[in-house]
Amino acid sequence: MLAYFADFKLGITNPFQFLIVLINPIATTGLLIGIALYFKRARFFYPIALLISILNTVLLYLNVIYFREFTDFMTVSTMTGYSKVNQGLSGSSLALTNIHDIFYWLDLVVIILLLVFKKIKIDQRPLNRRIGLAVTSFCLLLFTINLSLGEMDRPQLLTRTFDRTYIVKYLGLDAFTVYDGMKSQHNNDLRATATKSELDDVLKFTKAHYAKPNKKYYGIAKGKNVIIIHLESFQQFLIGQKVNGKEVTPFLNKLYRSHSSYAFKNFFHQVGQGKTSDAENMLETSTYGLPQGSLFAQLGSDNTFQAAPAILKQRRGYSSAVFHGNIASFWNRNNVYKNMGYQYFFDASYYDTSGDRSLGYGLKDKLLFRDSVKYLQNLQQPFYVKYLTVTNHFPFDLDKEDTNFKTTNTGDDVVDNYFLTAHYLDQSVHEFYNYLRKTGLLKKSVILLYGDHYGISDSENKNLAKAIHRNPDDWDDFDNAQLQRVPLIINIPGEKHGYVSNKYAGEIDVLPTLMHLLGISTKRYVQFGTDIFSKQHDQVVAFRNQDWVSPTFTSISGDIYSNKTGQLMKLTKRQAAQVKKNKDRVQTELSLSDSLNEKNLLRFYHPKGFESIDPRKYNYADGYQKEKRLEEKRGKKSTSLFSKNGDKSTSRDYVTDAPEIHHKSSDTNRIKITNPDATNNDSSR
Ligand code: GP9
Ligand code: MN
């Protein structure tokens, strides 16, 4: 309890979580110390029980120290020195101790003293074997209850593994260590047996699957800044959608139809349980997420990535940054981004997120865009930056004063609120665009906007149907699949011949498409997607569960629907052959991507000129100071907006109607802010 409340930042947000935290050490501690009960004789029982207790305290205390330095828990890979990231404690661990640490050890000292002075008398009677069994079974039962309570508050706690903090919060430190140990053992086994020849299978596929760029589009955005805007939970049906006679997303609608945009109306998300993190992974590496869990969380700390930020830096000198109003450890981003070669990560710790400035997943979008100006304008150009928005996230909460949009009245709060937060997101992007225009950044950039995955889940689609003027009574699996469309808009200000394309594509295709627009060839990299503009682009879009869509068919659990009629099909021989071909391709592609990632095969692959990334060289503390130092060092050669603007800030150019900017900053916070790279032990440093 001392560690939970005095040292770890668990982000307990409701009384239910508080209750779980109070009970979660009981089951695992009972299981562990209960082991001693299997030793009948007193001379074994007492020392073994004591030893287990000491070891458990050591584990706890090491984690306390580690947390003070890294704001994270020790994984088994860190303990065994396997992980390249967050390796060991820097500086003196002594400096990380604290006066209240005495209490971690006090119980043991007291018990040992009581034993030495015979205040605790050794009971020599042999133990009944059944006591051990009884305690073990009771604790297992307790653990099951504990796990169920955890799952109630955070569904798919173990399978999705959002964040290490969550597992500690719900199951305790011991359970976390065992769980993490099992997972890393599994990963290590897979990697140890991996051979270079398995990489050859992957290469054979990606080489044959490669689609060569279309000359018409190759390099049309050469040298421009890249601004990726991640539209959280944003589905395609919102584009053009009206509610009570008003467009929900008027700005994005305009952008979608603009002659300076290439937009895609048959673009699908392809995420699995890793949701946002899967989308990020696909967009930046053109490899798939995992069949279960999140690649970021499970493999991201140690895998070799050949990702967009690194490639763009090495081939065209791009600097890179992520702006995100949530805590850095969510989806293990603080570790993954280093392996991807991101130079800066401006997470929640860089913003004032206090009071009503944030909601459950962090800083509200209008404030994220506005408060990032400070960091954006000091970044060297050309840059590759990503804005991860959060306000349009389930359960789509929004404070009253943030909206006056009149939404639907379906009786389903999720659906009704979704339009509100989507509208808010639209306004946020609009405000940001105004800033980009005013400062001249717009002309110098390509802006890529995409929806990461659905916001309304299949179970809610019938309620949604009413709102989008569809009949809920004949809603079926086919309709669910069609709703997995998300927008992709590639806006290249200055372009005059943009259009809305009906090509079928998915998130996996974004990286090769973008790189070709920037005039960077992709042939040498392992990428599973293909350039959407290419004449050889593969229009069969794989979903993570092996379902797929193509321009003609939709395959759901092996059933084939016609896209034209929405009905199940009786296939002709020719159609059956085509379907089989698509199905085989989808399966091969997914399994090769899994083999690549699970076995970390990219460590064997050295594309021409690619310098491997050493995550130890990256640190996301003091990002702003680092930018300023670089500006100074480059002097007249500095290409940041700030330098180009005669060393004047552009923040005045940002206009927002967000009411929160007039609110006083407060001590309360709806999220817990930590920056794992910043040392946060004030008493020691
Ligand atoms: C949190 C955000 C949400 O930081 O990216 O992730 P999601 O729940 O959509 O996967
Ligand atoms: Mn998401």
Side-chain angles (χ1 to χ4, degrees), residues 113-121:
L113 285 178
L114 289 177
L115 277 169
V116 169
F117 292 107
K118 306 238 154 70
K119 292 284 177 217
I120 297 179
K121 296 214 173 64

PDB file of all heavy atoms in Angstrom, residues 113-121:
ATOM      1  N   LEU A 113      13.838  -9.874  14.430  1.00  0.00           N
ATOM      2  CA  LEU A 113      14.179  -9.604  15.828  1.00  0.00           C
ATOM      3  C   LEU A 113      13.316 -10.450  16.769  1.00  0.00           C
ATOM      4  O   LEU A 113      13.817 -11.032  17.731  1.00  0.00           O
ATOM      5  CB  LEU A 113      13.996  -8.119  16.147  1.00  0.00           C
ATOM      6  CG  LEU A 113      15.093  -7.195  15.586  1.00  0.00           C
ATOM      7  CD1 LEU A 113      14.792  -5.736  15.912  1.00  0.00           C
ATOM      8  CD2 LEU A 113      16.468  -7.608  16.120  1.00  0.00           C
ATOM      9  N   LEU A 114      12.033 -10.515  16.458  1.00  0.00           N
ATOM     10  CA  LEU A 114      11.137 -11.294  17.319  1.00  0.00           C
ATOM     11  C   LEU A 114      11.532 -12.770  17.328  1.00  0.00           C
ATOM     12  O   LEU A 114      11.442 -13.438  18.351  1.00  0.00           O
ATOM     13  CB  LEU A 114       9.687 -11.145  16.850  1.00  0.00           C
ATOM     14  CG  LEU A 114       9.053  -9.770  17.101  1.00  0.00           C
ATOM     15  CD1 LEU A 114       7.644  -9.712  16.540  1.00  0.00           C
ATOM     16  CD2 LEU A 114       9.062  -9.423  18.585  1.00  0.00           C
ATOM     17  N   LEU A 115      12.009 -13.248  16.175  1.00  0.00           N
ATOM     18  CA  LEU A 115      12.456 -14.640  16.108  1.00  0.00           C
ATOM     19  C   LEU A 115      13.723 -14.830  16.928  1.00  0.00           C
ATOM     20  O   LEU A 115      13.846 -15.779  17.702  1.00  0.00           O
ATOM     21  CB  LEU A 115      12.703 -15.042  14.650  1.00  0.00           C
ATOM     22  CG  LEU A 115      11.476 -15.473  13.839  1.00  0.00           C
ATOM     23  CD1 LEU A 115      11.819 -15.574  12.364  1.00  0.00           C
ATOM     24  CD2 LEU A 115      10.926 -16.805  14.347  1.00  0.00           C
ATOM     25  N   VAL A 116      14.661 -13.863  16.728  1.00  0.00           N
ATOM     26  CA  VAL A 116      15.947 -13.976  17.434  1.00  0.00           C
ATOM     27  C   VAL A 116      15.727 -13.952  18.940  1.00  0.00           C
ATOM     28  O   VAL A 116      16.303 -14.747  19.686  1.00  0.00           O
ATOM     29  CB  VAL A 116      16.899 -12.843  16.989  1.00  0.00           C
ATOM     30  CG1 VAL A 116      18.121 -12.778  17.898  1.00  0.00           C
ATOM     31  CG2 VAL A 116      17.323 -13.069  15.547  1.00  0.00           C
ATOM     32  N   PHE A 117      14.862 -13.037  19.392  1.00  0.00           N
ATOM     33  CA  PHE A 117      14.626 -12.939  20.842  1.00  0.00           C
ATOM     34  C   PHE A 117      13.529 -13.877  21.324  1.00  0.00           C
ATOM     35  O   PHE A 117      12.966 -13.704  22.386  1.00  0.00           O
ATOM     36  CB  PHE A 117      14.330 -11.482  21.232  1.00  0.00           C
ATOM     37  CG  PHE A 117      15.540 -10.600  21.069  1.00  0.00           C
ATOM     38  CD1 PHE A 117      15.627  -9.685  20.034  1.00  0.00           C
ATOM     39  CD2 PHE A 117      16.612 -10.724  21.952  1.00  0.00           C
ATOM     40  CE1 PHE A 117      16.746  -8.895  19.863  1.00  0.00           C
ATOM     41  CE2 PHE A 117      17.737  -9.926  21.788  1.00  0.00           C
ATOM     42  CZ  PHE A 117      17.812  -9.009  20.746  1.00  0.00           C
ATOM     43  N   LYS A 118      13.216 -14.816  20.451  1.00  0.00           N
ATOM     44  CA  LYS A 118      12.273 -15.876  20.817  1.00  0.00           C
ATOM     45  C   LYS A 118      10.900 -15.358  21.239  1.00  0.00           C
ATOM     46  O   LYS A 118      10.202 -15.970  22.039  1.00  0.00           O
ATOM     47  CB  LYS A 118      12.870 -16.776  21.915  1.00  0.00           C
ATOM     48  CG  LYS A 118      14.223 -17.342  21.576  1.00  0.00           C
ATOM     49  CD  LYS A 118      14.173 -18.869  21.617  1.00  0.00           C
ATOM     50  CE  LYS A 118      15.199 -19.536  20.747  1.00  0.00           C
ATOM     51  NZ  LYS A 118      16.593 -19.468  21.101  1.00  0.00           N
ATOM     52  N   LYS A 119      10.557 -14.178  20.766  1.00  0.00           N
ATOM     53  CA  LYS A 119       9.200 -13.682  21.032  1.00  0.00           C
ATOM     54  C   LYS A 119       8.210 -14.431  20.139  1.00  0.00           C
ATOM     55  O   LYS A 119       7.070 -14.644  20.484  1.00  0.00           O
ATOM     56  CB  LYS A 119       9.100 -12.167  20.762  1.00  0.00           C
ATOM     57  CG  LYS A 119       9.890 -11.348  21.745  1.00  0.00           C
ATOM     58  CD  LYS A 119       9.182 -11.265  23.093  1.00  0.00           C
ATOM     59  CE  LYS A 119      10.040 -10.483  24.081  1.00  0.00           C
ATOM     60  NZ  LYS A 119       9.989 -10.983  25.445  1.00  0.00           N
ATOM     61  N   ILE A 120       8.682 -14.757  18.917  1.00  0.00           N
ATOM     62  CA  ILE A 120       7.895 -15.684  18.106  1.00  0.00           C
ATOM     63  C   ILE A 120       8.499 -17.049  18.364  1.00  0.00           C
ATOM     64  O   ILE A 120       9.684 -17.269  18.104  1.00  0.00           O
ATOM     65  CB  ILE A 120       7.995 -15.355  16.598  1.00  0.00           C
ATOM     66  CG1 ILE A 120       7.413 -13.970  16.313  1.00  0.00           C
ATOM     67  CG2 ILE A 120       7.247 -16.401  15.779  1.00  0.00           C
ATOM     68  CD1 ILE A 120       7.499 -13.571  14.847  1.00  0.00           C
ATOM     69  N   LYS A 121       7.685 -17.943  18.893  1.00  0.00           N
ATOM     70  CA  LYS A 121       8.228 -19.262  19.218  1.00  0.00           C
ATOM     71  C   LYS A 121       8.025 -20.195  18.034  1.00  0.00           C
ATOM     72  O   LYS A 121       6.981 -20.193  17.392  1.00  0.00           O
ATOM     73  CB  LYS A 121       7.523 -19.806  20.461  1.00  0.00           C
ATOM     74  CG  LYS A 121       7.807 -18.949  21.685  1.00  0.00           C
ATOM     75  CD  LYS A 121       7.881 -19.777  22.954  1.00  0.00           C
ATOM     76  CE  LYS A 121       8.334 -18.902  24.117  1.00  0.00           C
ATOM     77  NZ  LYS A 121       7.348 -17.816  24.415  1.00  0.00           N
TER      78      LYS A 121
END
